[in-house]
Amino acid sequence: MRNRLFAIAAIAGAMAAPIAAQAQTTIGTAGGSTVVIGEHEGIAADQRPAFREYIVRERVPNYTISERVIVGSVLPETGVTVYDVPQSFGMTPYRYTVVNGRTVLVEPRSRRIVQVVD
């Protein structure tokens, strides 16, 4: 009986996995851990050119750090200011900044980079 329940649970889990995967977008990996953000939480591909123009227009400062700017890396606690993403680019729990010439979305509490906006 126990084996039968385990088999049913395994089949149900396998069937649900593709549905859960559709609701997420894997942005990248760093340090052996995968960084996953929701499909609609970052800057959408079709809005990236307008977002880059916004950054230039607002004259957002470019911060320089010694670490590589990749998804999953953490920005220093001091010396790098993060800014709210305007609502015109969608609702997002993340903030943005420009580091080493690259615009990034950052999780505000951990300061972990979740998207490099290229």
Side-chain angles (χ1 to χ4, degrees):
M1 182 71 168
R2 182 182 294 173
N3 288 341
R4 187 174 184 179
L5 288 175
F6 180 73
I8 292 171
I11 291 170
M15 292 174 60
I19 295 168
Q22 290 176 357
Q24 299 176 345
T25 301
T26 301
I27 298 300
T29 60
S33 62
T34 302
V35 178
V36 178
I37 67 172
E39 183 176 332
H40 303 289
E41 292 179 356
I43 302 297
D46 63 335
Q47 291 192 327
R48 291 178 191 160
F51 188 65
R52 283 190 294 273
E53 289 175 17
Y54 169 82
I55 302 280
V56 170
R57 188 173 58 248
E58 293 297 311
R59 297 182 182 183
V60 175
N62 177 29
Y63 299 97
T64 302
I65 61 172
S66 59
E67 294 85 19
R68 289 181 52 206
V69 178
I70 59 171
V71 170
S73 64
V74 178
L75 296 179
E77 289 291 327
T78 59
V80 177
T81 304
V82 295
Y83 306 92
D84 291 334
V85 175
Q87 288 186 357
S88 60
F89 295 103
M91 295 297 293
T92 180
Y94 304 115
R95 307 293 181 266
Y96 77 92
T97 193
V98 179
V99 181
N100 296 352
R102 302 182 79 185
T103 302
V104 296
L105 286 188
V106 177
E107 198 287 317
R109 280 183 263 144
S110 68
R111 299 181 66 84
R112 182 172 305 278
I113 297 173
V114 296
Q115 183 180 27
V116 177
V117 183
D118 287 326

